Each structure stands twice: as C-alpha cells, then as structure tokens.
Amino acid sequence: MEVVDILKKYSKSIDEEIKNSLISVDPDELQKSTLHLIEAGGKKIRPSLVVLSSEAVGGHAEEALKTAAAVELIHTFSLIHDDIMDKDDKRRGRPSVHVMWGEPMAILAGDTLFSKAFETVLQTEVDGVSYERVIEALKTVVDSCIKICEGQASDMCFEGNFDVSEDEYMNMIYKKTGALISAATRSGAIIGGGSPVQVETLTEYGRLIGLAFQIQDDYLDVISDEENLGKPVGSDIIEGKMTLMVVHTLSNASNKDKEELVSILKADKDTNVARAMELFEKYGSINYTHDIAHEHVENAKKLLETLEESEATFALAKIADYVLQRNK
C-alpha cells in the first residue's frame, strides 16, 4: 500500500468530524474562513498518525477520529496565523485566509479552530472512550499548542542571530514542527488504550519523524528544483533563515568563511545563493543535513519494531519513509 492510499483511508471520516465541529460556527463569514484551508485539501498526515497510532496499540479507528480531527484543526490554525506573520499570500494553491477575509477575520478564524480543537477532543467520550484517556489526550494536545507558540517565537528570535547552536536549532524545530506530530502519535496511543511503554514509544516515533520532516525541508530547499519545490531554490538563504545547514556551516567554518556566509544571509537583495551553497558543500553541511534526517527516520522505524506487527505499524513505517521521499 502506498502512502497516498494510507492517508486517504481515513481522510473522509476525519473531514466529516472536522466539518461537524465547525458546522455551528456563526456568522457565515467566520465559518467560511475556518473551512477555507480545510476544503483546499492537504495530505492529512497528522490526523492519520493519530488513528494509526491508536490502531497500533489495539485501539479502534472510530474512537480516535475526533482527536485526529482536533489535531488537524490545530495544524490549520497554525497555518492561518503563520501566513499572517510571514505575509504569505497563498496556501495549498488558494489565496491565504487573511488575503480573502482580512487579517482581523483570519486571526478570529485561527482562534476559532484552536478553541474547537479542544472541544472536539472532549467529545471523544461519546465514542465510549474513558474520561481518563480523553483528559490525557487533551493534555497532550494542549501541550503541543504551547510548544508550537514557543517554537514560532524562538524562530522569530533567531532572525539576525547567527550564534544559534545546533541544540537550540533542534529544540526550536521540535517545538515548531515536531511537537504536533509527536502529539498526534501520543494522543492516538492514549485513546487506543496503549500501555505506558507503548505510549512513550509512539511519542518518540512522532518526535523523530517530526524533526526529520523539518530537516528534510532544509535539505530540499537546496537540492530540489523549483518546479518540485513550488518556490525558488535557496529561498531559505534569500530570506536569511537559520536552517540546519546554516547552523552546521557557521559552527565549523573559518572566521573568513563565517563572515562571508553571514553577509550573504543578511543581504537585502542580490543574495549570492550559489556561493552560500558552495560554503555548505565545503563544510559537508548538505550531506550532514541529509544524514541527520535519515538517522532520525531509521531510529523511528526501529522503535516501531518493539510494537506488535500489524497493518498499522507497517503504515507508520511507510509514513516515516515518506518524510524523506517527498520532494516538497
């Protein structure tokens, strides 16, 4: 089974849960703005991870659907607010929510999705899941929201700071990207009734593939082509972003090369992307980034081997591989 088929398996049921949670939103303009990105599609990796993690510990898919929907609501909230902060005009091939409805309504749409996520997890009890499990899943979801905000704030604080250590960078991307993926696998395992060991195993699996997901993005920005990437190659360099490649190069470069790379990243226009790539290559940072992403995925797959083999664990292993196989 291909990853696209794995992700399609529950996407219709997850979409129904999402729409059920938003059907009561009023007025119409707020409801339309909350549904805008959801109706545009998306791969549904995070909610699928919730359901698969539940199944991997012997739970039933139906019981995990509301928590899966909640995770996708949080992901969508974060995208709407990211687009406002980054002034991005497009998302999933559509105009961003703030472009269509203005920033005030877009902020409210994000806030509504954020609030509805918690309400949706709490409604899991109607599916026969114990109150204790529901509260533990809710705690996990809430914690991921705090981490997303912390990660986003750290990312903003890193702008113009070229003394960021690798540990600081990894902590930032874990909070910004990995925390919600880890929350998806953890909450799924909790709802599915997993043992404490199974819950921790799937939490760590999610953390590792979440980190690999962002590191692979860093890698693709340099080695992909514009058609596959959907944006100019080296756009992270042009924007002066701190990526694993930049952090690794700056921590290993000579003073002269370090100064040159910093000046390239600080350039307002005519950014010398090609020279930055030469410096990455010189210090082995492109291969280093590639290897770290692969190492995280391999370690995630090894963790799955400690669980009882099933269709769900097979699917989770395929999703881990997909993190590295995607081209954008």
Side-chain angles (χ1 to χ4, degrees), residues 11 81 91 106 110 134 177 216 232 249 280 321:
S11 62
H81 283 195
R91 173 73 68 174
V134 174
T177 304
Q216 183 70 359
T249 302
F280 294 160
D321 284 331

Side-chain angles (χ1 to χ4, degrees), residues 99-117:
V99 171
M100 293 281 290
W101 285 277
E103 283 189 14
M105 186 64 81
I107 291 167
L108 290 172
D111 291 348
T112 302
L113 291 165
F114 179 80
S115 307
K116 282 286 182 181

Side-chain angles (χ1 to χ4, degrees), residues 223-244:
I223 62 95
S224 195
D225 57 71
E226 191 166 337
E227 188 179 343
N228 279 325
L229 204 58
K231 60 181 181 178
V233 175
S235 64
D236 287 348
I237 300 166
I238 293 164
E239 291 169 24
K241 281 189 179 177
M242 291 302 282
T243 64
L244 185 56

